[in-house]
Amino acid sequence: METKRTFLAIALAFLILVGWQYFFVPPVETPVPEQSATENSQQESAAILPVEAGASLVQDETVPAPEAGAPQGRDITIETSLYTAVITESGGGVKSFKLKNYNEALDPESGLKELIKTQAVRELPLFFTWGIEPTRAVVPTFTADREHVSTSFGGTSTLTLTAPLASGLELTRILTFSDQDYKIDMAVEVRNTTQQSYQGAPFLSLVNNPFSVNSKSDRFLFNGPAVYLENVLEETKVDDIIEDGPKTMSGRISWVAYESTYFMCGIIPENPAGNSVTLSSLGDTKVSTVISAPVDILASGESKTYQYGIYFGPKKLSILKTTSPDLHRIVNFGWFDVMAKPALYLLNFFYKYVGNYGLAIILVTVLIKGLFWPISHKGMKSMKTMQKLQPKMTKLREKYKDDKERLNKEMIELYKTYKVNPLGGCLPMVLQIPVFFALYKVLLQTIELRHAPFMLWITDLSAPDRLFIGFDLPFLGGLPVLTLLMGASMFMQQKMTPNTAANPEMARVMMFMPVVFTFLFLNFASGLVLYWFVNNLLSMAQQYVINRQVD
C-alpha cells in the first residue's frame, strides 16, 4: 500500500462526508391559514364522551371557520434574566420566546434570538388538549392571574391560567419560571365539574418552523423534530415526514423536541413511560410534534394533573446536563461522540483561561498534535526513508516486471535491509482520522462558537472567513484570507512531504488537493479553517525537523 494512495483515499472520504452540504437548500415556507376555534362548543362536547354511554373518543375532524368578533385573550409577558416570553390567554400557547444572551445575527441591531416562528393560535407551542387531538379541539380562552410575570435574581415566579370548557371540564395551567434556568415547570390540572365520568388522554403539542431561514449551519446539519425513545435518539427529517406522512412512536419517551444546530424547543414529560408522539407536516417546513399519555378516566368531581418540563433555549451541553438526565443527548456528534465531547470539554477548559475561542482552538490543536507527535514523527520519518528507496524500488519493478512473486520477495528484503515499514507512513494518519472528524463535528455545531470573535476581521468563528475590501467579490462577498492561507499552507506542506508514489499520475492528482480543499473550505466555519491551518503549520514544522534529521 502506498502512503500517497492512502492519503488520497482519506481526502476523498472527507470530501464525501462534507461535500453534500453544498447541495442542500432549505425550502421556502408555505403559510397555512390561521384557524381559531373558540366558537365550536358542540364539537368539543362530542369529543369527550361519557363512559356510561360506552362511546369511544371519535370526533368530527372538520374545524369550522372562526366567528366574527370572537373574544381574544390578553398577552402575558414573562421576564427572567435569560429570556423574555409572551404567553397568550387564547389557547395558553407561547407567542414569543426571546433569548437575552443570543442575537438573531452577529449585528447587534438584529435583535434577540426568537424561537417562536408560528402565528396561528392553534399552532403556538404548548397548546394543551384533553380527550381530543389539538388539530380538532376548540381553542379555549384562559384567564391569567396576572398580566406580567418577572423573577427576582435567582428566584422563581408562577403564572396560573384557568379555562372552563363547554364539555364541563376545567383546565388549570400552572407555569413556574426560574430566573437562572431555561427550564419551565408546567402542571396542567383537568377537573371534571359534571355529574358524569369522562375518558380521555392528554395532548401537548409543539408546532415549529426553522429558527433561522438563512442559517448556513442549519442547512449543513440536522434541523427538525427529535425524540429520545427507549434511550435512543430518533431524528426525523422534515422531508421524510412530508413524503411518508405522519409518524407515530410509542414507548418510554424521555423528551420530544424541535432542534436546529444551536437551539431547541423541548417537552420533558414527568412520567416518560407509556407515552406516544406523533410527527406530522403542516406545510413545506412547518412540523407538528404532539406528545400524549395513556387514557385516563375522570369521575364526577375528580381531577388529574399532568406534569411537564419545558426547555426553550440553547443546545449547550453544560446547561442541558443540569436540566434533565437525558436532555443532553440531543447534542449529537454521531459516531465520534466519544471523542467529540472530550474535545469540547478541552475547548471550554482553555477558554476559561484565555477568554477567546480562537485561541482555545489553537491550544486544542497544539495539544492534539502534541499527543500524536511521536506517532506522526515515526510515520513521516518512514515516508522520508521510503522516498530515498524509490530509485531502488523502480529498478526492482523493471527487473522483475514479469515475475510478481520474485518482485514481492525482493521488495520485502529491501524493506528489511533498510528497516522500513511500507505502512509506516499511512498508519499514523489512519489513527488520527477519528480525532480529526470528532473535532470537525465539535467546531461545526457547538454553540460556543456562534458569534464568537477571534481577531481582526474574524468576528464570528461559526461563520465563513471573509475580509471585506470595499466591494463585493462574486459569489464570496469578502476575501477569504484565512481560507487562502490554509490552502497555501497545505500546498507548502505537500511540497515538504516526501513523494512516495511510484505512479506519476497519482502525484499529479495529489497536486490538486490543496486547490480542492481550498474551494471546499470557502463556506466552512472560520473556526474549522483555523484548526486546519494551525494543524498544517505544526505538520510543516514537524516535517522540517524530520527532513533535517534524515538528510
Side-chain angles (χ1 to χ4, degrees), residues 368-529:
I368 293 176
K369 193 68 177 177
L371 293 175
F372 281 97
W373 187 277
I375 299 175
S376 300
H377 188 86
K378 187 175 181 180
M380 289 181 175
K381 192 172 182 180
S382 178
M383 290 175 64
K384 187 67 177 178
T385 305
M386 286 288 291
Q387 184 186 36
K388 287 188 171 185
L389 293 180
Q390 281 300 312
K392 297 181 181 295
M393 294 168 65
T394 301
K395 290 181 180 180
L396 289 176
R397 289 191 181 97
E398 292 176 354
K399 183 176 181 180
Y400 303 105
K401 60 182 178 180
D402 298 326
D403 189 349
K404 291 185 177 181
E405 184 177 348
R406 179 65 183 275
L407 175 62
N408 290 334
K409 184 178 179 180
E410 293 294 332
M411 285 286 195
I412 292 174
E413 290 298 324
L414 185 65
Y415 295 150
K416 288 182 178 179
T417 301
Y418 288 90
K419 298 179 180 180
V420 62
N421 183 353
L423 300 179
C426 62
L427 184 58
M429 192 177 300
V430 171
L431 293 176
Q432 294 181 66
I433 290 176
V435 177
F436 165 76
F437 281 124
L439 194 56
Y440 158 78
K441 296 286 285 185
V442 168
L443 297 180
L444 194 63
Q445 67 186 86
T446 179
I447 194 171
E448 282 83 348
L449 297 187
R450 184 180 186 268
H451 299 168
F454 175 39
M455 61 185 299
L456 302 175
W457 71 93
I458 303 176
T459 56
D460 184 358
L461 287 166
S462 69
D465 149 51
R466 295 291 186 272
L467 173 62
F468 292 96
I469 54 178
F471 60 91
D472 287 346
L473 296 174
F475 306 107
L476 296 175
L479 189 66
V481 178
L482 184 62
T483 310
L484 294 175
L485 290 174
M486 183 276 298
S489 68
M490 192 173 181
F491 178 79
M492 293 300 297
Q493 180 187 2
Q494 192 176 72
K495 284 292 187 180
M496 296 175 64
T497 302
N499 180 14
T500 60
N503 189 346
E505 293 182 0
M506 178 68 69
R508 285 194 292 268
V509 169
M510 295 302 299
M511 293 298 294
F512 283 99
M513 293 308 296
V515 178
V516 172
F517 269 69
T518 300
F519 276 99
L520 182 64
F521 274 62
L522 282 176
N523 286 319
F524 273 16
S526 54
L528 184 62
V529 180

Side-chain angles (χ1 to χ4, degrees), residues 44 48-53 57 128-132 163 165 167-172 188-203 294-306:
E44 183 182 339
I48 308 171
L49 300 179
V51 176
E52 293 88 343
L57 296 179
F128 178 90
T129 61
W130 192 88
I132 181 171
L165 306 182
S167 60
L169 299 180
E170 183 180 80
L171 297 182
T172 301
V188 183
E189 181 190 68
V190 183
R191 178 176 295 276
N192 183 4
T193 64
T194 71
Q195 298 300 313
Q196 55 191 350
S197 296
Y198 288 105
Q199 61 179 353
F203 298 90
V295 172
D296 283 319
I297 295 177
L298 286 180
S300 176
E302 193 176 38
S303 65
K304 175 72 176 179
T305 300
Y306 303 94

Side-chain angles (χ1 to χ4, degrees), residues 338-358:
V338 174
M339 288 171 286
K341 287 181 178 176
L344 178 57
Y345 171 81
L346 286 174
L347 192 68
N348 287 319
F349 174 79
F350 285 125
Y351 177 77
K352 290 180 183 178
Y353 295 97
V354 299
N356 184 298
Y357 274 109

Side-chain angles (χ1 to χ4, degrees), residues 16 45 206 237 256 288 308 332 344 374 435 453 491 505 528 535:
I16 293 171
S45 299
L206 277 175
K237 295 180 180 178
V256 300
S288 170
Y308 304 93
N332 179 24
L344 178 57
V435 177
F491 178 79
E505 293 182 0
L528 184 62
N535 187 71

Side-chain angles (χ1 to χ4, degrees), residues 17 74 84 120-121 157 188 247 287 324 350 358 381 408 414 507:
L17 177 68
R74 298 172 297 173
T84 298
V121 172
S157 292
V188 183
K247 178 180 180 180
V287 176
S324 182
F350 285 125
K381 192 172 182 180
N408 290 334
L414 185 65

